[in-house]
Amino acid sequence: MRLDKFLKVSRLIKRRSVAKEVADKGRILINGKQAKSSSTVKVGDEMTLQFGNKTVVVRIDKIVETTKKDEAQEMYTLISETVAPRTEENRF
């Protein structure tokens, strides 16, 4: 499955267009390698997402074409989530 579609279906990012933009800016790594929106993801991949001051690391557990909101979190396991402290420079 394409990376941008996985992010939308899993609800890690709500819109596919936003997922594409984040990926194409180089803020997503799959297994430690920079990924584009068209990159293929598969079960077992470890994905690192950086958006805003937040970094999320997940492992892909399941891939489905569509899912309900309640079942979306079953598609991945959250490994870590960190928030960088705000500084005066990025405050506004």
Side-chain angles (χ1 to χ4, degrees):
M1 176 179 282
R2 282 177 57 108
L3 173 61
D4 55 352
K5 183 169 183 182
F6 176 82
L7 292 170
K8 179 192 176 294
V9 172
S10 67
R11 291 174 172 77
L12 284 166
I13 297 179
K14 299 219 188 303
R15 292 185 200 94
R16 191 167 177 176
S17 59
V18 175
K20 180 182 182 335
E21 184 179 323
V22 170
D24 291 343
K25 286 185 177 179
R27 296 181 180 177
I28 299 178
L29 304 175
I30 297 177
N31 298 326
K33 296 180 182 173
Q34 194 169 4
K36 294 183 180 181
S37 59
S38 60
S39 298
T40 302
V41 295
K42 57 189 179 304
V43 173
D45 283 349
E46 188 171 296
M47 183 169 31
T48 305
L49 298 105
Q50 297 174 330
F51 43 95
N53 60 344
K54 188 166 150 180
T55 301
V56 178
V57 180
V58 298
R59 183 180 56 246
I60 299 172
D61 294 330
K62 183 166 86 171
I63 294 180
V64 294
E65 292 297 318
T66 60
T67 186
K68 295 179 181 174
K69 186 177 182 180
D70 300 338
E71 299 168 354
Q73 285 189 322
E74 295 173 9
M75 293 179 68
Y76 61 90
T77 301
L78 183 64
I79 296 173
S80 70
E81 183 174 0
T82 57
V83 178
R86 295 191 137 221
T87 63
E88 288 298 316
E89 296 168 0
N90 67 2
R91 186 175 217 165
F92 300 101

